[in-house]
Amino acid sequence: MEGSWRGVPAVLVILAGLTASGSSYQIIEGPQNVTVLKGSEARFNCTMTHGWKLIMWALKGVVELSITPQETIITNNRFTSASYNGSNSFISEMIIHDVQPSDSGSVQCSLQNSDVFGTAFLSVQVMGTLSISSNSLIVTEGEPCNVTCYALGWTPLPDISWELEVPVSHSSYYSLLEPGDFTRALSVLTLTPLGNGTLTCVAELMNLQASKSLTVNLTVVQPPPDSIGEEGTSLPTWAIVLLAVAFSLLLILIIALIIVFCCCGISRREKEESSYQNEIRKTANVKTNQADLETRLRSGKENYGYRSDEARAAQIASLHPKPGEVSLPEPHSYSSAYQEHRTCQPSPASHPQVSFDTASPQKVRNVTLV
C-alpha cells in the first residue's frame, strides 16, 4: 500500500511536466488577409514558437493541411505547404494554387493542445473582358462623337478610364452600371477629334493594381463640302420643328379655303341656275298670257266683206263719175258714230243693210251684222 501511494506523486509530476511542455509553444502571429485574382496563388503565413507538435490549416472550416515535425498530410492537391525556421520562431506557409471564386472565405491556422489560433480572409477577384463596338472607328473631323467601352464579367466592377493618342479639341468620359444588369459596367467617351490616332479603354481592379486594356483605331475624314458651307446656316432643332408645324398649319388653312371657295361657287351656281329658270318661267308665262289674249281677240268671226275706207277712197278716186250716176256721200263723224252704234243692235231679219248718205258722194261704209 505504501508503495502504491509513493507512485502517485511521480505520475503527477510527469503529467505536470507534459502540460508545461505543451503550453510552452504558441502562435506569435497569425495569417493576414489576402486578395488575389482568379487562377493565381494565395499564400498565408503563420508564425509560432518552437516546440509545437501539430499545425493545422483550415479553409472555410475544413482542414486542408496537417503538418507535424516529421511530415505534411495533404488532403487536396491544390493545397501545399512550406516552412521556415528561425532562431526564436517557426513559420508555416500554406499555398493555395489555382484560386477560384468559390475559395473566398476564412483561413485559420491552429496548434494542437492550444486555444490560440490565427484567422485571415481570402478574397478572390475576377478580371473580366472589355469590348468596344468596333475595332476601327471612322468619324468626321471637328464633329463630336461617342465611343462606349463595356466591362463584362468583372468581380468587383472595375474603374474604367481612357487613354487618348489622338488630337482632340474636347474630350470627357463618364462610367455607370449597365441598366438592368449590375454585373456590367460601361464608360462613354465623348470627344471632338482633329486627326487620326488610337483610343485605349483601361479597366483596373484597384485592390490588386491589376488592369486590362483594349485599343481601337480612330480614323478622321474630312466633312462633305455641302456640310462645310451649310454649317454656319444650319437651324437648331426647335426652329426646324417650329417651321414644320407652321407649314402644316398653313397647308391645312389652304385646304380649308379651297373647300370654302368650292362650296361658295357651287352655291352661287345653284342660285344663278335658279334665277335663270325663274326668268324662263316668267317669259313663258308672259308669252302664254299674250297668246291667250290674242286668242280671245280672235275668237269672233271675221267679216270678209268689209273693205277699209282708204281702199274704197282709192278706188273711187281712180274712177271718173258718169252722168246720171248717184254717188254715196261721205258720212260725218256723228253719223259714223251713230251707224257704228247701230251695228251693235242686231236686226230681226239678220240681213245686211246698206245706208246711203247723199250729202257726200265720196265715201260709202258697209256694215254687216252677224
Coordinates of all heavy atoms in Angstrom, one line a residue, residues 170-230:
H170 N -11.8 68.6 -77.7 CA -12.5 68.4 -76.4 C -12.7 66.9 -76.2 O -12.9 66.2 -77.1 CB -13.9 69.1 -76.5 CG -14.8 68.7 -75.4 ND1 -14.6 69.3 -74.1 CD2 -15.8 67.9 -75.3 CE1 -15.5 68.7 -73.3 NE2 -16.3 67.9 -74.0
S171 N -12.6 66.5 -74.9 CA -12.8 65.1 -74.6 C -13.3 65.0 -73.1 O -12.9 65.8 -72.3 CB -11.6 64.3 -74.7 OG -10.6 64.7 -73.8
S172 N -14.2 64.1 -72.8 CA -14.7 63.8 -71.5 C -15.3 62.4 -71.5 O -15.7 61.9 -72.5 CB -15.7 64.8 -71.0 OG -16.9 64.8 -71.9
Y173 N -15.4 61.8 -70.3 CA -16.0 60.5 -70.2 C -16.6 60.3 -68.8 O -16.3 61.0 -67.9 CB -14.9 59.4 -70.4 CG -13.9 59.2 -69.3 CD1 -14.1 58.4 -68.2 CD2 -12.7 59.9 -69.4 CE1 -13.1 58.3 -67.2 CE2 -11.7 59.8 -68.4 CZ -12.0 59.0 -67.3 OH -11.0 58.9 -66.4
Y174 N -17.6 59.4 -68.8 CA -18.2 59.0 -67.5 C -18.5 57.5 -67.5 O -18.7 56.9 -68.6 CB -19.5 59.8 -67.3 CG -20.6 59.6 -68.4 CD1 -21.5 58.6 -68.3 CD2 -20.5 60.3 -69.6 CE1 -22.5 58.4 -69.3 CE2 -21.5 60.1 -70.6 CZ -22.4 59.2 -70.4 OH -23.4 58.9 -71.4
S175 N -18.6 56.9 -66.3 CA -18.9 55.5 -66.2 C -20.1 55.3 -65.4 O -20.4 56.1 -64.5 CB -17.7 54.8 -65.5 OG -16.5 55.0 -66.3
L176 N -20.8 54.2 -65.6 CA -22.0 53.8 -64.9 C -22.3 52.3 -65.1 O -21.7 51.7 -65.9 CB -23.2 54.6 -65.4 CG -23.7 54.3 -66.8 CD1 -25.1 54.8 -66.9 CD2 -22.9 55.0 -67.9
L177 N -23.2 51.8 -64.3 CA -23.6 50.4 -64.4 C -24.5 50.2 -65.6 O -25.3 51.2 -65.9 CB -24.3 50.0 -63.1 CG -23.5 50.0 -61.8 CD1 -24.4 49.6 -60.6 CD2 -22.3 49.1 -61.9
E178 N -24.5 49.1 -66.1 CA -25.4 48.7 -67.2 C -26.8 48.7 -66.7 O -27.1 48.0 -65.7 CB -25.0 47.4 -67.8 CG -25.9 46.9 -69.0 CD -25.5 47.6 -70.3 OE1 -24.5 48.3 -70.3 OE2 -26.4 47.5 -71.2
P179 N -27.7 49.5 -67.4 CA -29.1 49.5 -66.9 C -29.7 48.1 -66.9 O -29.7 47.4 -67.9 CB -29.8 50.4 -67.9 CG -28.7 51.3 -68.4 CD -27.5 50.4 -68.5
G180 N -30.2 47.6 -65.8 CA -30.9 46.3 -65.7 C -29.9 45.2 -65.4 O -30.3 44.0 -65.2
D181 N -28.6 45.5 -65.4 CA -27.6 44.4 -65.2 C -26.4 45.0 -64.4 O -25.6 45.7 -64.9 CB -27.1 43.8 -66.5 CG -26.2 42.6 -66.3 OD1 -25.9 42.3 -65.1 OD2 -25.8 42.0 -67.3
F182 N -26.4 44.7 -63.0 CA -25.5 45.3 -62.1 C -24.1 44.6 -62.2 O -23.2 45.0 -61.4 CB -26.0 45.4 -60.7 CG -27.3 46.2 -60.6 CD1 -28.5 45.6 -60.4 CD2 -27.3 47.5 -60.8 CE1 -29.7 46.3 -60.2 CE2 -28.4 48.3 -60.7 CZ -29.6 47.7 -60.4
T183 N -24.0 43.6 -63.0 CA -22.7 42.9 -63.1 C -21.9 43.4 -64.3 O -20.8 42.9 -64.6 CB -22.9 41.4 -63.3 OG1 -23.6 41.1 -64.5 CG2 -23.7 40.8 -62.1
R184 N -22.4 44.4 -65.0 CA -21.7 45.0 -66.1 C -21.6 46.5 -65.9 O -22.5 47.2 -65.4 CB -22.5 44.7 -67.4 CG -22.7 43.3 -67.7 CD -23.6 43.1 -68.9 NE -23.1 43.7 -70.1 CZ -23.7 43.7 -71.3 NH1 -24.9 43.1 -71.4 NH2 -23.2 44.2 -72.3
A185 N -20.5 47.0 -66.4 CA -20.2 48.5 -66.3 C -19.9 49.0 -67.7 O -19.4 48.2 -68.5 CB -19.1 48.8 -65.3
L186 N -20.1 50.2 -67.9 CA -19.7 50.8 -69.2 C -19.2 52.2 -69.0 O -19.5 52.9 -68.0 CB -20.9 50.8 -70.1 CG -22.2 51.6 -69.7 CD1 -22.1 53.0 -70.2 CD2 -23.4 50.9 -70.3
S187 N -18.4 52.7 -69.9 CA -17.8 54.0 -69.9 C -18.0 54.6 -71.3 O -17.7 54.0 -72.3 CB -16.4 54.0 -69.5 OG -15.8 55.3 -69.5
V188 N -18.5 55.9 -71.3 CA -18.8 56.6 -72.5 C -17.8 57.7 -72.7 O -17.7 58.6 -71.8 CB -20.3 57.1 -72.6 CG1 -20.5 57.9 -73.9 CG2 -21.3 56.0 -72.4
L189 N -17.1 57.7 -73.8 CA -16.1 58.7 -74.1 C -16.7 59.7 -75.1 O -17.1 59.2 -76.2 CB -14.8 58.1 -74.6 CG -13.8 59.1 -75.2 CD1 -13.2 60.0 -74.1 CD2 -12.6 58.3 -75.8
T190 N -16.7 61.0 -74.9 CA -17.2 62.0 -75.8 C -16.0 62.8 -76.2 O -15.3 63.4 -75.3 CB -18.3 62.9 -75.2 OG1 -19.4 62.0 -74.8 CG2 -18.7 63.9 -76.2
L191 N -15.7 62.9 -77.5 CA -14.6 63.7 -78.0 C -14.9 64.3 -79.3 O -15.8 63.9 -80.1 CB -13.3 62.8 -78.1 CG -13.3 61.8 -79.2 CD1 -11.8 61.4 -79.5 CD2 -14.1 60.5 -78.9
T192 N -14.1 65.4 -79.6 CA -14.2 66.0 -80.9 C -12.8 65.9 -81.6 O -11.8 66.6 -81.3 CB -14.5 67.5 -80.8 OG1 -15.7 67.6 -80.0 CG2 -14.7 68.2 -82.1
P193 N -12.6 64.9 -82.5 CA -11.3 64.6 -83.0 C -10.9 65.6 -84.1 O -11.7 66.1 -84.8 CB -11.5 63.2 -83.6 CG -12.9 63.1 -83.9 CD -13.6 64.0 -82.9
L194 N -9.6 65.8 -84.2 CA -9.0 66.6 -85.2 C -8.0 65.9 -86.1 O -7.5 66.5 -87.0 CB -8.3 67.8 -84.5 CG -9.1 68.7 -83.7 CD1 -8.3 69.8 -83.0 CD2 -10.3 69.3 -84.5
G195 N -7.7 64.6 -85.8 CA -6.8 63.8 -86.6 C -6.9 62.4 -86.2 O -7.7 61.9 -85.3
N196 N -6.1 61.5 -86.9 CA -6.1 60.1 -86.7 C -5.3 59.7 -85.4 O -4.5 60.5 -85.0 CB -5.5 59.4 -87.9 CG -6.3 59.7 -89.2 OD1 -7.5 59.9 -89.1 ND2 -5.6 59.6 -90.3
G197 N -5.6 58.6 -84.9 CA -4.9 58.1 -83.7 C -5.6 56.9 -83.1 O -6.3 56.1 -83.8
T198 N -5.3 56.6 -81.9 CA -5.8 55.4 -81.2 C -6.5 55.8 -79.9 O -6.2 56.8 -79.3 CB -4.7 54.4 -80.9 OG1 -3.7 55.0 -80.0 CG2 -4.1 53.9 -82.1
L199 N -7.5 55.0 -79.5 CA -8.2 55.2 -78.2 C -8.1 53.9 -77.4 O -8.3 52.8 -77.9 CB -9.7 55.5 -78.5 CG -10.0 56.7 -79.3 CD1 -11.5 56.8 -79.6 CD2 -9.5 58.0 -78.7
T200 N -7.7 54.0 -76.1 CA -7.5 52.9 -75.3 C -8.4 53.0 -74.1 O -8.4 53.9 -73.3 CB -6.0 52.8 -74.8 OG1 -5.2 52.7 -76.0 CG2 -5.8 51.6 -74.0
C201 N -9.2 51.9 -73.9 CA -10.1 51.8 -72.7 C -9.3 50.9 -71.7 O -8.9 49.8 -72.0 CB -11.4 51.1 -73.2 SG -12.5 50.7 -71.8
V202 N -9.2 51.4 -70.5 CA -8.4 50.8 -69.4 C -9.4 50.5 -68.2 O -10.0 51.4 -67.7 CB -7.3 51.6 -69.0 CG1 -6.5 50.9 -67.9 CG2 -6.3 52.0 -70.1
A203 N -9.5 49.2 -67.8 CA -10.3 48.8 -66.7 C -9.3 48.3 -65.6 O -8.4 47.4 -65.9 CB -11.3 47.7 -67.1
E204 N -9.5 48.8 -64.4 CA -8.5 48.4 -63.3 C -9.2 48.0 -62.0 O -10.2 48.6 -61.6 CB -7.6 49.7 -63.0 CG -6.6 49.4 -62.0 CD -5.7 50.6 -61.8 OE1 -6.0 51.7 -62.3 OE2 -4.7 50.5 -61.1
L205 N -8.7 46.9 -61.4 CA -9.1 46.5 -60.1 C -8.2 47.1 -59.1 O -7.0 46.8 -59.0 CB -9.0 45.0 -60.0 CG -10.0 44.2 -60.9 CD1 -9.7 42.7 -60.8 CD2 -11.4 44.5 -60.5
M206 N -8.7 48.1 -58.3 CA -7.9 49.0 -57.5 C -7.2 48.2 -56.4 O -6.0 48.5 -56.1 CB -8.8 50.1 -56.9 CG -9.4 50.9 -58.0 SD -8.2 51.7 -59.1 CE -7.4 52.8 -58.0
N207 N -7.8 47.2 -55.8 CA -7.2 46.5 -54.7 C -5.9 45.7 -55.1 O -5.0 45.5 -54.3 CB -8.2 45.5 -54.0 CG -9.3 46.2 -53.3 OD1 -9.1 47.4 -52.9 ND2 -10.4 45.6 -53.2
L208 N -5.9 45.2 -56.3 CA -4.8 44.4 -56.8 C -3.9 45.2 -57.7 O -2.8 44.6 -58.1 CB -5.4 43.2 -57.6 CG -6.2 42.2 -56.8 CD1 -6.7 41.1 -57.7 CD2 -5.4 41.6 -55.6
Q209 N -4.2 46.4 -58.1 CA -3.4 47.1 -59.0 C -3.3 46.3 -60.3 O -2.3 46.4 -61.0 CB -2.1 47.5 -58.5 CG -2.1 48.4 -57.2 CD -2.7 49.7 -57.5 OE1 -2.4 50.4 -58.5 NE2 -3.5 50.2 -56.6
A210 N -4.4 45.6 -60.7 CA -4.4 44.8 -61.9 C -5.3 45.5 -62.9 O -6.4 46.0 -62.5 CB -4.9 43.4 -61.6
S211 N -4.9 45.5 -64.1 CA -5.7 46.2 -65.1 C -5.7 45.4 -66.5 O -4.8 44.6 -66.7 CB -5.2 47.6 -65.4 OG -3.8 47.6 -65.9
K212 N -6.7 45.8 -67.3 CA -6.8 45.3 -68.6 C -7.2 46.4 -69.5 O -7.9 47.3 -69.1 CB -7.8 44.1 -68.7 CG -7.9 43.5 -70.1 CD -8.9 42.4 -70.1 CE -8.4 41.1 -69.3 NZ -9.3 40.0 -69.5
S213 N -6.7 46.4 -70.8 CA -6.9 47.5 -71.7 C -7.4 46.9 -73.1 O -7.1 45.8 -73.4 CB -5.7 48.4 -71.8 OG -4.6 47.7 -72.4
L214 N -8.0 47.8 -73.8 CA -8.4 47.5 -75.2 C -8.3 48.8 -76.0 O -8.7 49.8 -75.6 CB -9.9 47.1 -75.2 CG -10.5 46.8 -76.6 CD1 -9.8 45.6 -77.2 CD2 -12.0 46.5 -76.4
T215 N -7.6 48.6 -77.2 CA -7.2 49.7 -78.0 C -7.9 49.6 -79.4 O -8.0 48.5 -79.9 CB -5.7 49.8 -78.2 OG1 -5.1 50.0 -77.0 CG2 -5.3 51.0 -79.1
V216 N -8.5 50.7 -79.8 CA -9.1 50.8 -81.2 C -8.5 51.9 -82.0 O -8.0 52.9 -81.4 CB -10.6 51.0 -81.1 CG1 -11.3 49.8 -80.4 CG2 -11.0 52.3 -80.3
N217 N -8.5 51.8 -83.3 CA -8.0 52.8 -84.2 C -9.1 53.8 -84.5 O -10.3 53.4 -84.7 CB -7.5 52.2 -85.5 CG -6.3 51.3 -85.2 OD1 -5.4 51.6 -84.4 ND2 -6.2 50.2 -85.9
L218 N -8.8 55.1 -84.6 CA -9.7 56.1 -84.9 C -9.2 56.8 -86.2 O -8.1 57.4 -86.2 CB -9.8 57.2 -83.8 CG -10.8 58.3 -84.0 CD1 -12.2 57.8 -83.9 CD2 -10.6 59.4 -82.9
T219 N -10.1 56.8 -87.2 CA -9.8 57.4 -88.5 C -10.7 58.6 -88.7 O -11.9 58.5 -88.6 CB -9.9 56.4 -89.6 OG1 -9.1 55.3 -89.4 CG2 -9.6 57.1 -91.0
V220 N -10.1 59.8 -89.0 CA -10.8 61.0 -89.1 C -10.9 61.3 -90.6 O -9.9 61.3 -91.3 CB -10.1 62.2 -88.4 CG1 -10.9 63.5 -88.6 CG2 -10.1 61.8 -86.9
V221 N -12.1 61.6 -91.1 CA -12.3 62.0 -92.5 C -12.8 63.5 -92.6 O -13.3 64.0 -91.6 CB -13.3 61.1 -93.2 CG1 -12.8 59.6 -93.2 CG2 -14.6 61.1 -92.5
Q222 N -12.5 64.1 -93.7 CA -13.0 65.5 -93.9 C -14.5 65.5 -94.1 O -15.1 64.6 -94.7 CB -12.3 66.1 -95.1 CG -10.8 66.2 -95.0 CD -10.4 67.1 -93.8 OE1 -11.1 68.2 -93.6 NE2 -9.3 66.8 -93.1
P223 N -15.1 66.6 -93.6 CA -16.6 66.7 -93.8 C -16.9 67.0 -95.2 O -16.1 67.5 -96.0 CB -16.9 67.9 -92.9 CG -15.7 68.7 -92.8 CD -14.6 67.7 -92.8
P224 N -18.1 66.6 -95.7 CA -18.5 66.8 -97.1 C -18.5 68.3 -97.4 O -18.7 69.1 -96.4 CB -19.9 66.2 -97.2 CG -20.0 65.3 -96.0 CD -19.1 65.8 -95.0
P225 N -18.3 68.7 -98.6 CA -18.3 70.2 -99.0 C -19.6 70.9 -98.6 O -19.6 72.0 -98.2 CB -18.0 70.2 -100.5 CG -17.4 68.9 -100.8 CD -17.9 67.9 -99.8
D226 N -20.7 70.2 -98.8 CA -22.0 70.8 -98.5 C -22.1 71.1 -97.1 O -22.6 72.2 -96.7 CB -23.2 69.9 -99.0 CG -23.2 69.7 -100.5 OD1 -22.6 70.5 -101.2 OD2 -23.8 68.7 -100.9
S227 N -21.7 70.2 -96.2 CA -21.8 70.5 -94.8 C -20.9 71.6 -94.3 O -21.3 72.3 -93.4 CB -21.5 69.2 -94.0 OG -20.1 68.8 -94.3
I228 N -19.8 71.8 -95.0 CA -18.9 72.9 -94.7 C -19.6 74.2 -94.9 O -19.5 75.2 -94.2 CB -17.6 72.8 -95.4 CG1 -16.8 71.6 -95.0 CG2 -16.7 74.1 -95.2 CD1 -15.5 71.3 -95.8
G229 N -20.3 74.3 -96.1 CA -20.9 75.6 -96.5 C -22.2 75.8 -95.7 O -22.6 77.0 -95.4
E230 N -22.8 74.7 -95.3 CA -24.1 74.9 -94.6 C -24.0 74.9 -93.1 O -24.9 75.0 -92.4 CB -25.0 73.7 -95.0 CG -25.4 73.7 -96.5 CD -26.2 72.5 -96.8 OE1 -26.5 71.7 -95.9 OE2 -26.6 72.4 -98.0

